[in-house]
Amino acid sequence: MRVLLTTFAVRSHIYSLVPIAWALRAAGHDVCVATHPEGEEHVVSAGLPFAGVGEPIPSVGEQDTGGDVESGAAQDGGGTFGWADWPELLDLAETDPTTLTYDYLLGVFAAYTPMVFRYYTDGLVDGLVEFARRWKPDLVLWDTMSFAGPVAAAACGAAHARVLFGLDILGHARGAFLRAAARRPASACDDPLREWLDGVLRRHGRTFSEEVVVGQWTVDPVVSSLSLGTASPRIGMRYVPYNGPSVVPAWLAELDPEVPRVCVTMGISHREIWGADRVPVARLLDGIADLGVEVVATLSGGQRDGVDTERVRVVDFAPLDALLPLCSAVVSHGGAGSFQTALVHGVPQVLVPDMLWDTGLKASRLERLGAGLRVREVPATSALVERALTDRRLRDRATRLRREALGMPAPREVVPVLERLTARHGVR
């Protein structure tokens, strides 16, 4: 069969699709990854066929928000909050049933539809539809934040499924919103996400269904102990780390058995999308270095400002899949790649969530399971790292989650499931 994979052109999101793309290729299927033109380097370097479609992603604050939000800032009671602040006020990852009222969820979708979903979709959708109608995929696998995928699948009659990179906060919030809306008169309900998607679909001769939001099914790399229960049929798939083209540096093997190694990584997505980190990296590292441990920090550009390189090994890049098994703890922002790679290697995690998408919720759920610790105030980080290095129960529970992760079906084992579901759902 022919399988089209699509996401927006941010490196970490492209990387999350590589293992399943290669599993499909190894099984003999035709595969193509289509995204914004600037994704070419990351796709081609992974050895996968690339199709550049649509326009480049606009810079933050420059995109058309459809009139609902102006210039990258939203209005709330007369005050203004910027791009870095609004996700904390309207949290798609909220799970408290008392907070998830219709009005709250309406505000969430009214904010996320123009500021996130349209942001990653509008410049891509028409080009992807044109390409899909020409290439004729049997299956479209799409990133949960980029709705060009299901629109293109609907337009060309292909089966389609989401591939998650973390917790299914969209599916959870959507289910809560629909339940809350069902308790109100239809005339008193707005649905910004549906209204936008229906307009996009009608432009291509199709109409809205909830499958466009949550997929005909969902490929989920998150272990059941951490995942959210949602209505979308879930196909569990083991997370396989992919860090891009890399050389394992010789210094990785230079371990002192008496000195624990601690990795500190704040990821790349926040800087690529927002232009800065939300965590004061230098302050974070100072406290950890005081513990008498070997600190390895993967930092680039401005992330190095103020960092004491005499006490911290600073590297532009090190493949986490090779580095983390040699670490006694990892400090990160909780991004998809760092979180999942640490989990599959059983490394105790100290999370300083940047509060984008699901990072705060992952930190809380991991802490509740006793397999990691959440930093609420930066000065407390070093004490939490020390606990991660000495708490035997925490390490045992991290090991337990590793066993659960490794027990999930590998990508190659998921391929026959995709074949069966594609035959069932395709309409051509």
Side-chain angles (χ1 to χ4, degrees), residues 137-163:
D138 301 291
L139 171 65
V140 178
L141 296 176
W142 50 281
D143 184 290
T144 189
M145 289 176 67
S146 181
F147 290 102
V151 170
C156 72
H160 65 93
R162 290 184 301 163
V163 180

Side-chain angles (χ1 to χ4, degrees), residues 285-287 289-291 293-295 308-313:
L285 289 168
D286 281 344
D290 288 338
L291 297 174
V293 299
E294 179 194 356
V295 183
D308 184 352
T309 55
E310 293 295 321
R311 300 197 300 159
V312 175
R313 184 192 291 270

Side-chain angles (χ1 to χ4, degrees), residues 204-264:
H204 297 287
R206 299 293 187 267
T207 57
F208 177 84
S209 77
E210 283 299 320
E211 287 183 348
V212 179
V213 178
V214 295
Q216 293 173 323
W217 69 92
T218 296
V219 179
D220 188 353
V222 177
V223 295
S224 296
S225 295
L226 288 169
S227 66
L228 298 171
T230 60
S232 178
R234 175 181 180 266
I235 309 300
M237 182 181 74
R238 183 194 311 166
Y239 179 79
V240 176
Y242 173 71
N243 306 135
S246 56
V247 175
V248 178
W251 60 259
L252 276 186
E254 298 170 2
L255 281 169
D256 183 339
E258 303 299 321
V259 181
R261 176 179 284 171
V262 176
C263 171
V264 178

Side-chain angles (χ1 to χ4, degrees), residues 174-200:
R174 186 65 182 173
F177 175 74
L178 294 176
R179 290 190 295 274
R183 295 191 288 268
R184 298 167 61 94
S187 59
C189 290
D190 292 318
D191 190 341
L193 183 58
R194 176 179 182 137
E195 291 166 10
W196 165 60
L197 282 173
D198 190 57
V200 173

Side-chain angles (χ1 to χ4, degrees), residues 244-284:
S246 56
V247 175
V248 178
W251 60 259
L252 276 186
E254 298 170 2
L255 281 169
D256 183 339
E258 303 299 321
V259 181
R261 176 179 284 171
V262 176
C263 171
V264 178
T265 176
M266 292 295 114
I268 55 175
S269 294
H270 203 288
R271 293 187 66 81
E272 287 185 355
I273 297 170
W274 303 91
D277 292 300
R278 301 189 75 190
V279 176
V281 177
R283 283 173 54 202
L284 204 70

